[in-house]
């Protein structure tokens, strides 16, 4: 089985492919051992190459500011949908929450006096995340002028509503974020998770410690959060290569 994986590696198979095939082989040998076809589960000794962790694309801080400004400009017309869409990009970037967490928010989850939002994350774990003044203004305008225009008699207590008054779906949020980002020339093609990546990266660039960022993002382990330190280091290297007189 090791020779089988080695032959595929030599033929150019990627690490992710090898990892999936090794997992399938281990599942098969475990089944064969349970059924008595194998005297021992040989798959437990089969180790595949670890996958390369792909660094996420993120916005630069100036690009993030442009995206927020462009979204705010659209909201100035006071159209309820535009107000909601502006709130979406502001909250995603301000808090770094997941798209599912954002869509699951109810009005009562937002503490408008303390600028805090109560989030129900993976595994039913609850955390409290702060947000800044721009997002607070977007919340106020949406709740005062936008949301009342979309509420129907059977509407849920959701913070974000669709055009028919139902809870906004994550698919719609992905479309909204994509449209907001691509409207600014030169930005990478990002969705809601890209704004989460950007928020984490900019927090670290601003001096936040890794543990605090882990708590804000709701990561179960610090190892997941450490990915963003690599993004920051890569950006520092790029800046050094571009600006230092003896970088080359």
């Amino acid at each position: 089985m090791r020779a089988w994986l080695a032959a595929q590696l030599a033929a150019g198979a990627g690490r992710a492919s090898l990892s999936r095939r090794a997992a399938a082989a281990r599942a098969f040998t475990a089944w064969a051992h349970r059924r008595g076809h194998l005297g021992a589960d040989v798959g437990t000794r089969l180790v595949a190459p670890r996958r390369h962790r792909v660094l996420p694309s993120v916005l630069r801080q100036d690009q993030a500011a442009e995206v927020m400004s462009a979204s705010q400009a659209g909201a100035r017309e006071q159209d309820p949908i535009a107000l909601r869409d502006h709130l979406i990009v502001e909250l995603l970037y301000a808090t770094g929450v997941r798209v599912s967490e954002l869509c699951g928010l109810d009005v009562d989850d937002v503490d408008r006096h303390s600028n805090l939002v109560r989030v129900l994350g993976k595994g039913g774990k609850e955390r409290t995340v702060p947000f800044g003044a721009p997002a607070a203004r977007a919340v106020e305008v949406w709740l005062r002028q936008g949301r009342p225009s979309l509420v129907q008699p059977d509407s849920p207590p959701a913070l974000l509503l669709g055009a028919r008054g139902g809870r906004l779906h994550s698919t719609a949020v992905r479309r909204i974020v994509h449209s907001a980002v691509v409207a600014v020339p030169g930005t990478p093609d990002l969705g809601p998770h890209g704004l989460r990546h950007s928020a984490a990266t900019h927090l670290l660039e601003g001096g936040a410690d890794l543990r605090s960022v882990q708590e804000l993002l709701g990561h179960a382990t610090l190892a997941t959060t450490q990915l963003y330190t690599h993004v920051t280091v890569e950006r520092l290297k790029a800046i050094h290569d571009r600006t230092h007189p003896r970088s080359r």
Side-chain angles (χ1 to χ4, degrees):
M1 293 174 71
R2 289 176 183 146
W4 167 68
L5 285 179
Q8 293 179 73
L9 179 62
R15 288 173 176 252
S17 298
L18 293 176
S19 180
R20 288 193 302 269
R21 292 167 190 172
R26 286 193 295 269
F28 172 74
T29 59
W31 170 86
H33 178 56
R34 287 195 306 270
R35 291 298 185 92
H37 301 302
L38 289 176
D41 185 358
V42 295
T44 58
R45 302 195 300 273
L46 184 65
V47 179
R50 296 185 64 180
R51 297 185 184 187
H52 286 303
R53 301 199 71 175
V54 179
L55 298 179
S57 297
V58 295
L59 298 172
R60 299 191 310 267
Q61 293 188 30
D62 62 308
Q63 290 176 328
E66 288 185 48
V67 170
M68 302 303 137
S69 296
S71 175
Q72 185 178 25
R76 289 197 184 103
E77 299 177 2
Q78 304 301 307
D79 174 70
I81 300 298
L83 293 174
R84 181 203 63 194
D85 294 354
H86 175 56
L87 172 61
I88 287 171
V89 294
E90 282 284 4
L91 265 187
L92 283 172
Y93 179 60
T95 62
V97 297
R98 302 176 178 92
V99 62
S100 59
E101 296 169 344
L102 178 74
C103 293
L105 291 177
D106 289 340
V107 173
D108 290 343
D109 291 325
V110 182
D111 185 339
R112 296 154 66 184
H113 300 290
S114 303
N115 287 5
L116 297 171
V117 62
R118 184 174 64 246
V119 178
L120 189 64
K122 289 185 176 180
K125 294 181 179 179
E126 186 178 296
R127 69 185 190 278
T128 301
V129 184
F131 54 86
R137 289 191 292 270
V139 168
E140 288 295 329
V141 175
W142 160 247
L143 291 179
R144 188 175 63 251
Q145 301 177 27
R147 190 178 184 278
S149 300
L150 300 181
V151 170
Q152 300 294 327
D154 58 346
S155 291
L159 175 65
L160 300 173
L161 298 176
R164 298 181 180 179
R167 186 180 293 272
L168 195 65
H169 195 271
S170 58
T171 303
V173 174
R174 292 187 178 92
R175 173 180 51 78
I176 290 164
V177 172
H178 171 77
S179 299
V181 173
V182 299
V184 177
T187 56
D189 187 4
L190 300 180
H193 218 63
L195 290 183
R196 176 173 163 87
H197 291 319
S198 299
T201 302
H202 298 166
L203 280 167
L204 289 170
E205 288 178 342
D209 65 273
L210 206 57
R211 287 287 184 186
S212 298
V213 176
Q214 178 192 5
E215 184 72 20
L216 288 169
L217 297 181
H219 286 156
T221 65
L222 193 62
T224 306
T225 316
Q226 285 175 331
L227 173 65
Y228 298 105
T229 64
H230 300 307
V231 176
T232 303
V233 169
E234 289 299 316
R235 181 167 292 177
L236 288 174
K237 288 171 61 179
I239 292 172
H240 183 275
D241 289 344
R242 187 172 65 250
T243 60
H244 197 281
R246 297 186 69 82
S247 63
R248 300 180 184 277

